[in-house]
Amino acid sequence: MRGDAATWPYLQLAVLHWPAPRTVAIVSEASVQDTVRQSSSAERPAVDAPAAISPAAISPAAISLSKVGKRYGDFRALDNVSLSIASGERVVVCGPSGSGKSTLIRCINRLERHDEGEIRVDGKLLSDRRGELRKVRADVGMVFQQFNLFPHLTVLENLTLGPMRVRGLTAAAARERAMMYLERVRIPEQADKRPTRLSGGQQQRVAIARSLCMEPKAMLFDEPTSALDPEMISEVLDVMVELAESGMTMIVVTHEMGFARQVADSLVFMDAGSIIEHSTPAAFFERPDSARGRSFLKRILQH
């Protein structure tokens, strides 16, 4: 099977299935003794001691970065980046061109190798060990700026290739899953067409459906609307909004501030390879903490 080399990463890109957060009650010895005394009293019913939540008892973040750095020669694309993302969280990453946004998410699935710090997925350290890396990528979907569809395959064939080769689905099961997700992105009638016969918005929706066919636990979006005509942007954003509302863990690099306001749980503003601000969208849009954030917001909201 031949195609653009940039197309192949989607077959394995993926964040491991992490369990729901759990907490453990920490009860002191004195509290236990009080409870025993209360239980032995006929006049008073037993009362449970108040339970304290231990931070160590909480499950690790779905994705975490600690002091991550990335260099291209003398240029620092990422500089001491630390970030923690919970399961089910929707994070929008914004900032000027060259600020490190795309490098950040490409390092998360190891399309780029970081030079410093640690990246953990479900608490597991991201490394170059092939077995561990393939396991991590198995449940993370990524949608690129360019659609990266195989032009010589039909839409349906683009969608069934990954599930059959990576997930081991039969052709019939892969086709059924592909049609389900084409229905979800509202283009089932395009199944038998080649990508070149589709509009840009339709091709990006196919790319989203292709990632969904791997049934990932998290999805990374690298400026998914940047290559689209303005009139096609809304059809892609509508699909992404629906996906976010389903509870998918999402990291979205975008300049679509309306999407950020509507969907994001948190917003990360980057500049010169560093995280300058990390707050709620409401806080960032109403009162950015940094002068750089205020300048960026003023410019982007003017257009």
Side-chain angles (χ1 to χ4, degrees), residues 80-154:
N80 198 35
V81 171
S82 294
L83 182 64
S84 181
I85 299 165
S87 178
E89 187 175 2
R90 288 83 54 99
V91 179
V92 164
V93 182
C94 64
S97 297
S99 60
K101 309 181 299 295
S102 295
T103 303
L104 174 70
I105 63 172
R106 290 175 69 88
C107 282
I108 290 173
N109 57 34
R110 208 60 167 182
L111 285 179
E112 299 282 355
R113 178 187 296 178
H114 60 285
D115 301 312
E116 303 162 2
E118 293 183 348
I119 299 176
R120 292 182 180 272
V121 176
D122 191 26
K124 298 176 178 63
L125 185 65
L126 192 61
S127 71
D128 286 329
R129 294 182 179 178
R130 181 171 297 182
E132 293 179 3
L133 185 56
R134 291 180 65 181
K135 186 176 181 182
V136 168
R137 285 178 171 174
D139 291 325
V140 175
M142 185 160 180
V143 178
F144 301 89
Q145 296 179 34
Q146 301 299 324
F147 321 123
N148 289 338
L149 301 171
F150 289 109
H152 61 293
L153 301 180
T154 66

Side-chain angles (χ1 to χ4, degrees), residues 10 35 37 41 71-72 88 113 117 146 151 159 187-188 190 218 221 225 236 243 251 278 283-284 296:
Y10 92 84
T35 302
R37 284 196 295 270
S41 172
R71 292 178 177 168
Y72 297 103
R113 178 187 296 178
Q146 301 299 324
L159 267 61
I187 49 171
Q190 309 297 340
F221 293 83
T225 60
V236 173
L243 184 60
I251 305 177
H278 185 195
F284 181 74
F296 171 81

Side-chain angles (χ1 to χ4, degrees), residues 15 41 62-63 126 171 174 178 204-205 245 257:
V15 178
S41 172
I63 303 171
L126 192 61
Q204 193 61 294
R205 282 189 280 167
E245 291 173 347
M257 295 296 98

